[in-house]
């Protein structure tokens, strides 16, 4: 791999910071900008990248040979405009991922839910392969990436902007197919078509592992390579029964993993299925995965104060909210208090009823206003759309401003409660504030 000099726009994002770390570890010169300071920028600096807060024409080094940006970066961004004025190529972050995968045997994990966790599990199962995901991994130096040993490169394949079609893996996992990105896809059929293209792009001598999802199994029919099914269906390579991975040949492997919830047992089973094809015995793969607690913002424990445990989770789709609440019920006997921040107006409008039904699995439900991210507000679309569909919990609260949640919520919390903060926006900052409002961490 030749030495390169690259500039990253939005370097502090979860996906871009992971790519930046891998580029540094590959020996490339890496610079970058973001609009605000954060842990990911600090991690890149510690690794040797030159990154700063604030975009600008002067931020792109004279020696830069290419600029990379995500779909969220507008075309009039100062870094991008300066690069184009100098004749530098401006490419998508997935192009950088594809470049970094060159020289490795590429493995990709696709699907609407569980990609980051399963990709990390796969890298561990392979004995510490190179990994790149859009969430922090414990061994990633503060990012979602690590340059590992051996030939394998495990990458999260992102369907949100169809960029998974730019990757050329030799084998892949397709966990599930769902409609999550309503500003990008007009219908579930549109989503299915993209995953079908992804499946058909795998080489004939590769492998597609398919998780326990009917739509994913249907899409897998487009694959030209062998397909391994994971799930409770005829002809499956293996399934999950209780706490065991049960293989088609009758072998049972105890699946005692640290990551909570039934959904994570299925994620682990899918990772083990692909690791087996790569030459790792299922029992060895499970043993390597077992201690892994999960990637950042996936049922991440933020602490306990006044006997109240606070957990943060990235759940931003009804299926994910349902799985997260089920995991909470599995391990917590007391009340479950769900604080949910809807993410994107388009998603909230399309899935408000489903969000309300999913949140009905909690004992107390709090919904904030919508985190806009890259979208403009839509009249009539706010957190109350979700609340109207909630049924069952004894207490349902609308607290539009995130800053107001501690003052309103904390007086009603009880010792033994589990508070779940959920969403893809800045609700991740709420956990520490709740801990503080409760009087600080328990000794």
């Amino acid at each position: 791999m030749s030495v390169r000099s690259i500039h990253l726009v939005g370097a502090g994002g979860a996906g871009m910071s992971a790519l930046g770390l891998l580029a540094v570890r590959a020996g490339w010169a890496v610079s970058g900008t973001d609009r605000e300071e954060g842990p990911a920028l600090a991690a890149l600096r510690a690794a040797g990248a030159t990154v700063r807060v604030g975009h600008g024409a002067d931020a792109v080094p004279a020696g830069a040979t290419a600029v990379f940006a995500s779909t969220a970066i507008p075309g009039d961004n100062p870094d991008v405009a300066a690069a184009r004025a100098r004749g530098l190529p401006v490419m998508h972050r997935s192009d950088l991922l594809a470049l970094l995968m060159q020289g490795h045997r590429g493995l990709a994990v696709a699907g609407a839910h569980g990609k980051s966790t399963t990709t990390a599990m796969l890298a561990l199962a392979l004995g510490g392969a190179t990994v790149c995901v859009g969430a922090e991994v414990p061994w990633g130096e503060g990012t979602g990436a690590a340059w590992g040993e051996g030939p394998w490169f495990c990458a999260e394949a992102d369907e949100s902007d169809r960029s998974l079609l730019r990757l050329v893996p030799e084998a892949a996992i397709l966990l599930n197919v769902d409609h999550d990105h309503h500003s990008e896809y007009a219908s579930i059929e549109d989503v299915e078509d993209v995953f079908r293209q992804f499946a058909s792009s795998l080489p004939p001598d590769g492998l597609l592992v398919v998780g326990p999802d009917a739509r994913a199994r249907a899409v897998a029919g487009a694959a030209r390579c062998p397909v391994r099914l994971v799930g409770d269906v005829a002809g499956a390579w293996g399934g999950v029964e209780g706490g065991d991975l049960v293989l088609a040949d009758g072998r049972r492997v105890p699946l005692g993993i640290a990551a909570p919830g039934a959904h994570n047992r299925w994620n682990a089973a899918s990772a083990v299925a692909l690791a087996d094809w790569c030459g790792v015995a299922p029992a060895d793969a499970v043993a390597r995965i077992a201690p892994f607690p999960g990637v950042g913002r996936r049922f991440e424990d933020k602490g306990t104060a006044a006997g109240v445990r606070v957990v943060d989770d990235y759940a931003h789709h009804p299926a994910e909210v349902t799985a997260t609440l089920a995991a909470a019920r599995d391990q917590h006997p007391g009340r479950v208090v769900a604080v949910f921040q809807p993410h994107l107006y388009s998603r909230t409008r399309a899935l408000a009823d489903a969000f309300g039904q999913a949140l009905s699995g909690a004992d107390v439900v709090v919904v904030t206003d919508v985190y806009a991210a890259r979208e403009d507000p839509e009249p009539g679309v706010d957190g109350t759309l979700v609340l109207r569909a909630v049924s069952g919990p004894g207490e349902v609260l609308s607290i539009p401003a995130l800053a107001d949640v501690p003052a309103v919520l904390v007086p009603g919390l009880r010792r033994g409660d589990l508070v779940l903060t959920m969403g893809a926006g800045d609700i991740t900052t709420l956990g520490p504030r709740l801990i503080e409002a409760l009087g600080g961490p328990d000794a």
Side-chain angles (χ1 to χ4, degrees):
M1 187 181 294
S2 61
V3 176
R4 304 167 189 263
S5 177
I6 62 172
H7 182 77
L8 310 179
V9 187
M16 197 66 88
S17 60
L19 291 166
L21 180 76
L22 289 181
V24 170
R25 294 290 170 248
W28 301 5
V30 177
S31 63
T33 58
D34 210 312
R35 60 184 178 184
E36 57 187 28
E37 190 57 71
L41 284 187
L44 286 179
R45 287 192 197 97
T50 303
V51 292
R52 78 175 205 191
V53 175
H55 303 296
D58 63 330
V60 184
T65 56
V67 171
F68 293 90
S70 71
T71 307
I73 302 299
D76 61 355
N77 174 276
D79 299 37
V80 171
R84 287 186 171 137
R86 286 163 48 181
L88 297 177
V90 178
M91 293 183 281
H92 191 268
R93 58 175 173 78
S94 60
D95 295 318
L96 177 54
L97 177 58
L99 285 171
L100 289 164
M101 290 178 77
Q102 289 179 1
H104 290 81
R105 300 185 67 183
L107 305 172
V109 179
H113 323 293
K115 297 186 292 294
S116 296
T117 298
T118 306
T119 308
M121 287 177 168
L122 177 61
L124 289 171
L126 294 171
T130 298
V131 63
C132 186
V133 302
E136 185 178 345
V137 295
W139 64 100
E141 302 177 65
T143 74
W147 197 267
E149 301 289 335
W152 302 107
F153 190 121
C154 305
E156 178 178 345
D158 184 13
E159 85 285 2
S160 69
D161 53 7
R162 306 174 191 250
S163 61
L164 79 169
L165 299 179
R166 303 183 189 216
L167 303 181
V168 191
E170 65 177 83
I173 297 171
L174 177 58
L175 293 166
N176 40 60
V177 174
D178 211 338
H179 196 180
D180 187 22
H181 303 283
H182 294 79
S183 61
E184 176 67 30
Y185 296 97
S187 64
I188 185 62
E189 290 77 21
D190 195 13
V191 179
E192 290 171 340
D193 182 61
V194 166
F195 282 120
R196 195 173 289 111
Q197 291 178 56
F198 176 75
S200 68
S201 72
L202 295 170
D205 59 348
L207 180 75
L208 178 63
V209 171
V210 180
D213 178 78
R215 282 200 182 102
R217 290 194 294 270
V219 163
R224 300 175 296 148
C225 62
V227 174
R228 282 188 179 181
L229 301 180
V230 174
D232 299 323
V233 291
W237 174 86
V240 177
E241 290 183 7
D244 292 346
L245 171 62
V246 182
L247 305 180
D249 61 11
R251 284 179 293 163
R252 300 182 76 96
V253 181
L255 204 56
I257 60 173
H263 62 295
N264 276 322
R265 291 191 285 276
W266 286 112
N267 289 340
S270 299
V272 172
L274 185 48
D276 175 70
W277 180 81
C278 295
V280 179
D284 293 337
V286 170
R288 290 168 175 173
I289 292 171
F292 174 53
V295 298
R297 294 220 61 214
R298 277 35 170 211
F299 217 85
E300 182 177 348
D301 206 316
K302 307 304 287 187
T304 300
V308 177
R309 182 185 176 196
V310 180
V311 171
D312 184 46
D313 197 273
Y314 189 64
H316 60 281
H317 183 278
E320 296 163 357
V321 171
T322 299
T324 300
L325 286 171
R329 293 294 188 195
D330 280 349
Q331 61 174 237
H332 185 74
R335 290 197 314 170
V336 175
V337 180
V339 184
F340 178 65
Q341 181 189 53
H343 183 262
L344 298 176
Y345 292 98
S346 58
R347 182 182 290 131
T348 304
R349 170 177 32 80
L351 299 177
D353 287 350
F355 276 124
Q357 293 163 17
L359 288 165
S360 296
D363 297 296
V364 178
V365 175
V366 176
V367 179
T368 73
D369 210 347
V370 179
Y371 184 82
R374 57 189 175 273
E375 294 186 346
D376 294 326
E378 293 186 22
V381 178
D382 56 30
T384 63
L385 284 183
V386 174
L387 278 179
R388 290 172 193 164
V390 175
S391 62
E395 191 172 1
V396 179
L397 299 172
S398 173
I399 309 178
L402 201 63
D404 295 336
V405 172
V408 177
L409 181 64
V410 165
L413 294 177
R414 311 169 188 166
R415 182 172 293 275
D417 285 349
L418 169 62
V419 179
L420 275 172
T421 61
M422 293 184 289
D426 60 356
I427 194 168
T428 189
T429 64
L430 180 59
R433 285 186 268 167
L434 288 172
I435 295 289
E436 182 182 357
L438 285 161
D442 290 346

